[in-house]
Amino acid sequence: MIKVLVIDDDFMVAKVHAGFVNKEPGFTVVGIAHTASDAIKAATEIAPDLALLDIHLPDMNGLDLLQRLREVQPELDVIVISAAREMDTVRKALRGGIVHYLMKPFSWDDLRERLKHYAKTYQPLHVAADQELEQADVNRLFGLGGQNRRPLPKGCSAETMTLVENIVKEAAEPISATETAEKLGTSRVSARRYLEYLAEENLAQVNLRYGGVGRPERRYSWNT
């Protein structure tokens, strides 16, 4: 469960945001703060994974608070939620290391999209800090991939790619390259090339399964 701290000086707005977060599976609000001092105290005591941070607070600018929060919780991730639209504010927030900047007013779907993206890309980085990443993992973190696909790798066919996509989509649980190869009637190496392409395009998600000797097994599930 991803623990969230909501920081907003408006009591009603903070309550609404907390309600939005609690509607999203895998997220739970563990604290609400209406001032910077309360936010620092909550971050220290509760150790949330993610903070929804407003820029305009009565006792401190939200961008200054961002740095203070990182001092007490270095691993804390932050989504800025603010009515501030000035380029300088957005630029400073981005340079401060936030994961998203969402402008008020917004819909539940707007916040939900960002929460889902956070759960899929940023939050897993809090686990197994010494774990080695593949390029596909880094691509997802930086938001690369998507609908405008790059050309298929040399030797890969569009027909086989469609078959692989369907296999991943229809799998009841994350599927390995070996299992995909058996369904395709091809080699594991070939199947993995297609699967890694889907992962790099952010169409499939890589799930690591531990338990054996050596590197964890890479398994793939379709991004919905």
Side-chain angles (χ1 to χ4, degrees):
M1 189 68 71
I2 298 172
K3 301 183 296 182
V4 181
L5 172 64
V6 176
I7 308 169
D8 198 294
D9 65 331
D10 188 310
F11 284 70
M12 185 56 67
V13 169
K15 183 178 180 180
V16 171
H17 291 175
F20 280 170
V21 172
N22 284 328
K23 286 171 58 179
E24 179 63 22
F27 290 82
T28 183
V29 174
V30 293
I32 296 178
H34 303 295
T35 66
S37 58
D38 287 344
I40 294 171
K41 180 179 179 181
T44 303
E45 297 176 351
I46 301 173
D49 303 301
L50 175 67
L52 303 187
L53 173 63
D54 187 16
I55 294 294
H56 300 299
L57 297 170
D59 54 342
M60 184 184 298
N61 181 278
L63 296 179
D64 295 328
L65 174 59
L66 172 60
Q67 303 307 318
R68 293 289 303 277
L69 290 173
R70 290 276 170 68
E71 291 174 5
V72 299
Q73 284 296 332
E75 298 300 315
L76 178 67
D77 292 319
V78 176
I79 295 178
V80 168
I81 295 181
S82 177
R85 297 171 178 269
E86 300 84 1
M87 175 58 74
D88 187 54
T89 299
V90 176
R91 183 185 298 113
K92 288 179 179 178
L94 291 172
R95 289 176 175 170
I98 65 169
V99 298
H100 281 296
Y101 193 108
L102 184 57
M103 294 181 181
K104 298 178 182 177
F106 58 88
S107 68
W108 156 232
D109 287 336
D110 291 331
L111 179 58
R112 182 171 181 266
E113 179 183 4
R114 284 152 181 82
L115 293 177
K116 288 173 70 69
H117 179 258
Y118 172 77
K120 183 173 62 179
T121 56
Y122 287 89
Q123 212 279 328
L125 295 179
H126 291 273
V127 182
D130 58 346
Q131 173 185 315
E132 293 185 357
L133 299 177
E134 300 288 345
Q135 183 63 53
D137 303 316
V138 178
N139 287 351
R140 283 195 300 277
L141 178 60
F142 284 91
L144 298 179
Q147 296 181 350
N148 296 321
R149 302 192 196 181
R150 60 185 172 82
L152 292 175
K154 186 176 180 180
C156 292
S157 69
E159 293 79 9
T160 303
M161 178 59 71
T162 299
L163 293 175
V164 173
E165 289 183 13
N166 290 332
I167 289 172
V168 177
K169 288 178 181 178
E170 296 171 2
E173 60 182 21
I175 191 169
S176 69
T178 299
E179 294 165 341
T180 303
E182 291 175 355
K183 292 179 179 294
L184 282 175
T186 186
S187 69
R188 175 185 173 278
V189 173
S190 178
R192 176 162 177 169
R193 291 180 65 197
Y194 286 96
L195 291 167
E196 284 297 316
Y197 172 89
L198 292 177
E200 290 169 4
E201 292 299 299
N202 203 24
L203 296 170
Q205 180 175 348
V206 178
N207 306 266
L208 299 179
R209 175 176 291 181
Y210 296 85
V213 178
R215 291 188 175 184
E217 182 182 38
R218 293 173 68 82
R219 303 182 71 86
Y220 305 81
S221 58
W222 192 258
N223 277 336
T224 56

